[in-house]
Amino acid sequence: MIHAAFLIPLFPLVGFAVLAPFGRKLGNPLAGWIATLLVAASFVVTVLVFVALFRIAPAHRSVTEPWFDWISVDRLRVGAGLLVDPLSLTMASFVTGVSALIHLYSIGYMRHDEQFPKFFTYLNLFVFSMLMLVLADNFVLSFLGWEGVGVCSYFLIAFWFDRAEAASAGKKAMIFNRIGDAGFLLGIFLVFERTGSVQYTTVFARLGHVGTPSLVAIALLLFLGAVGKSAQIPLFPWLADAMAGPTPVSALIHAATMVTAGVYLMCRINPVLHLAPDAAHVIAWVGVATAFVGATSACAQDDIKKVLAYSTVSQLGYMFLAAGSGAYVAAIFLMLTHAFYKALLFLGAGSVIHAMDEDQDIKNMGGLAKLMPITGVTFLVGWLSIAGVPPFSGFWSKGDVLQNAWAVTPALWAIGAVTAALTAYYMGREYFLVFQGQRRWVEARPEASHGPEHGESYTARGLHPHDPTWHMSVPLVVLAALAVLGGLVNLPFHPSLVFLERWLSPVVGATLLQHHFSAGAEWLFALVDAALAILGVAVAAALWRKSSDRPALEPRFLSMAWWVDAAEDRLVARTGEALASFTATVVESRVVDGAVNGVASLVRTTGERLRRVQSGYVRSYALGLTAGVVVLLAYLLVRVGS
Amino acid sequence: MSVHASWYLTLAALLFTIGAVGLLVRRNVLVMFMCIELMLNAANLTFVTFARALNDIGGQVAVFFVLVVAAAEVVVGLGIIVAIFRRKVGATADDAHLLKG
């Protein structure tokens, strides 16, 4: 059954191949159903392969499925093939599962969009690329998928490209990712140069011959790739802007799957990180710093999706903190649960945005819980999960991360713990502003006062927010169930309950951080985590349940995300622009054009001068001939004479 | 009695100079043409002189080649000259300066 693994990426590729030429003809909603069913089929195959792999003895749970020689030049041998092991299958299963749900949701969400088939074409291409990234058995094929998800991300962020901010957000995502991709590429080059191979298993087997400085360089270069893709400091501003895309895209690509590719890469190269602890420390610190910056920025956002975007940045920071601490299982665990609750929160936000008629400002919402019970309850579940309130899934996964951070150094734990409380707080703020308190949307709409008939028609649309169609509520409910129960895959109570850790141990077991806390310490950690989460929830409730306007708590410094975006704009973008305009006006017009025009005018003036020689008079030619003969003769005579 | 070779060579040089100077200073196409013939024959005279002086038949052979070339040149040259005179009676070489840069 493991040999069927090739079907996992094949199904979405077929979907793309069918929808790209025929999507418009298949139309709405058939194109969406085809895409959804193919991704669901891919999920089913993944589960079957998962079960098949589970039946193999743990030591042999790493199966390479070679397809063909892709690139073969001199020493460089790049094959196309799949690496089926617990890590890649864990990723593949939640990628296909969450993707299938979000495809279904999109059928409802995008049903009024004229570009409906195109949307699903891109989504299927994205799922294919993501699966190639995850399942590839070598760095180069992973890079292919890596670039594939990048370009799909661009397509989908800029899906409504007639909106200026969506088009520029797409470009921004692309450019930020290019910076990271350069690091990834250089990392691959260095890997090949040092080990003579790009295949994961071969590379990891040869790491013993590679010096530590090279390993640190490899790890940091690949981490640079991950920083770009997973929106870490300093390359995170693109993720907030990426919210200009359709909400299902934000849920799928910019929360659940693509942005976790960087974390996946770090877990994949765990043997390298194990041998390069300095690089691992850098990763952990960048991760925890990003977690903190993201969480504080999320506290002051007014856009329902931007809160979630900065929250994603922050959660990804946690994952890097875990990966950098050597806690790969915790990183994957958090990635898994985060995929559930963050996709849930985004889809809930999408449903709210639909109900509010495309208004995304949480200050204009409020009191929606009674009107949209399914959305309200599932969003509440998502909030409590991400906040880490026991027994929701976030409590278990975040607890894992923090505990491992403590084992590295308590400072990491402290920042992470503060961030955890902030997480509970900012998501609570969003929940209360959207679903509880005053209904601010009646007064907040100036259009309603245009006239009686205008106001009435608007009222008919705007004043009765309701739960979405079943396409959209089923994914919400399923994801809410997963967000509640996701913690079950790795419960710390008993060695027999840590399924995920045992499942992943063939891949990361050898390099896993070994730490042993006493049972009492573990309970203490759990209590502190729970207390922090409940503290955040309580503070949010106290502050935002009644009031919607507290400028003191939303300083501009935080709503501008620590001015990182502005600073980078000033420092890099403006400088680059100045350099470009300098090149265009000075270098281009003076130096380049000058050289070209100089050569041309040199030739022309020489020609002008020389054309006089060709007078057309026979006698002057004859004179020339004679003069030539005389000169030659004189030369010969002088030579003979001397 | 035999005349010394240097006389012949002097004569040939003289003829060549007359031809060259004539070519340079005259405008009449026909005269210029004759000047070219004069120079060719000056060269021929030199060849023959050296052939006799050095007792080498090669010089006389070369003369035949020159004569053949001169004959061919006369055919082409006279054709061109006739064509020029047809266009304009009493044309000089300077009138045919159309091929200038």
Side-chain angles (χ1 to χ4, degrees), chain A residues 364 438-448 463:
Chain A
N364 296 344
Q438 299 271 319
R439 295 180 185 179
R440 292 178 301 277
W441 25 271
V442 186
E443 305 88 67
R445 289 181 178 268
E447 293 97 325
L463 278 189

Side-chain angles (χ1 to χ4, degrees), chain A residues 261-304:
Chain A
V263 185
Y264 170 74
L265 182 68
M266 291 301 110
C267 294
R268 180 50 83 197
I269 62 160
N270 64 77
V272 180
L273 295 186
H274 182 62
L275 296 174
D278 294 343
H281 280 132
V282 172
I283 294 169
W285 278 104
V286 169
V288 80
T290 311
F292 185 70
V293 169
T296 47
S297 304
C299 293
Q301 302 299 317
D302 283 343
D303 185 316
I304 185 169

